[in-house]
Amino acid sequence: MEAGPVPAAVLLPLFLKNGEYHLLFTKRTPHLTHHSGEISFPGGVCDPGDLDSADTARREAWEEVGIAPYDVEILGELDDCHSIHNYLVTPVVGVFPANYTLTVNDAEIERLIEVPLSHFEKPEFFRMEYWDYKGRKDFPMYFYRYGDDEIWGLTARILKNFLDVLWGVE
């Protein structure tokens, strides 16, 4: 029997830049075992010492991009998402101060990507495909383009959920 999903959390880090809210994404280094080269939110597996999902998300953001846990104001959580690698991921939305000095963990992160929220309002940067997944032939897969980068998979699913909540889409 397969073990239940592994609890994990990601932070959707919002910050003000040029008078507009942006989301911070990471592009993972190519040598990692899981999701190498992919664009993601800071996050990872819940540690036994973490108090809750917000604690996990803050800790991981500190380890990956150098945002101190006490500098993240938690706004709330989105619906949990199951990943194809048997993780149950809780997306945590938080704000950190503008003009923050970030410190990238270059063992895990190749570079940071800062995307203004208004970019995601433009339909030409979004597409959806239907993929075969666990016997379903109609599993929606979302894609968001920003410059030469493509956000897809679990990160795009979490992003779409966030944007739907933000914009009041049913």
Side-chain angles (χ1 to χ4, degrees):
M1 187 168 113
E2 186 178 333
V6 177
V10 296
L11 181 68
L12 281 69
L14 289 162
F15 64 100
L16 268 175
K17 182 177 180 177
N18 302 324
E20 180 178 4
Y21 276 100
H22 286 59
L23 266 174
L24 180 71
F25 296 88
T26 62
K27 181 165 170 100
R28 296 170 56 82
T29 56
H31 66 270
L32 294 172
T33 307
H34 291 299
H35 310 295
S36 62
E38 290 182 15
I39 295 169
S40 62
F41 292 113
V45 173
C46 298
D47 280 352
D50 293 340
L51 301 174
D52 54 20
S53 296
D55 206 34
T56 299
R58 283 179 167 138
R59 178 182 52 74
E60 286 285 340
W62 168 245
E63 291 172 7
E64 292 179 19
V65 297
I67 304 170
Y70 52 80
D71 285 333
V72 179
E73 178 187 351
I74 301 299
L75 301 180
E77 295 181 359
L78 299 169
D79 293 341
D80 291 343
C81 292
H82 287 269
S83 83
I84 61 170
H85 296 289
N86 201 27
Y87 292 97
L88 183 61
V89 181
T90 302
V92 179
V93 181
V95 178
F96 69 97
N99 303 312
Y100 200 88
T101 302
L102 298 169
T103 308
V104 176
N105 175 349
D106 56 14
E108 291 183 45
I109 308 302
E110 181 179 300
R111 63 185 165 87
L112 301 176
I113 303 164
E114 302 175 351
V115 185
L117 285 182
S118 63
H119 176 80
F120 298 114
E121 295 179 60
K122 300 170 185 152
E124 64 267 27
F125 298 118
F126 171 78
R127 79 177 196 280
M128 181 173 67
E129 298 175 0
Y130 290 99
W131 286 20
D132 293 350
Y133 178 65
K134 290 192 173 182
R136 282 183 56 186
K137 299 204 178 300
D138 61 346
F139 188 81
M141 187 65 71
Y142 306 112
F143 299 84
Y144 293 90
R145 180 150 291 287
Y146 183 69
D148 292 333
D149 294 312
E150 189 162 61
I151 301 162
W152 68 284
L154 182 66
T155 302
R157 225 177 341 136
I158 292 169
L159 176 59
K160 181 166 188 326
N161 184 12
F162 170 69
L163 296 172
D164 287 351
V165 169
L166 185 66
W167 297 330
V169 175
E170 288 296 320

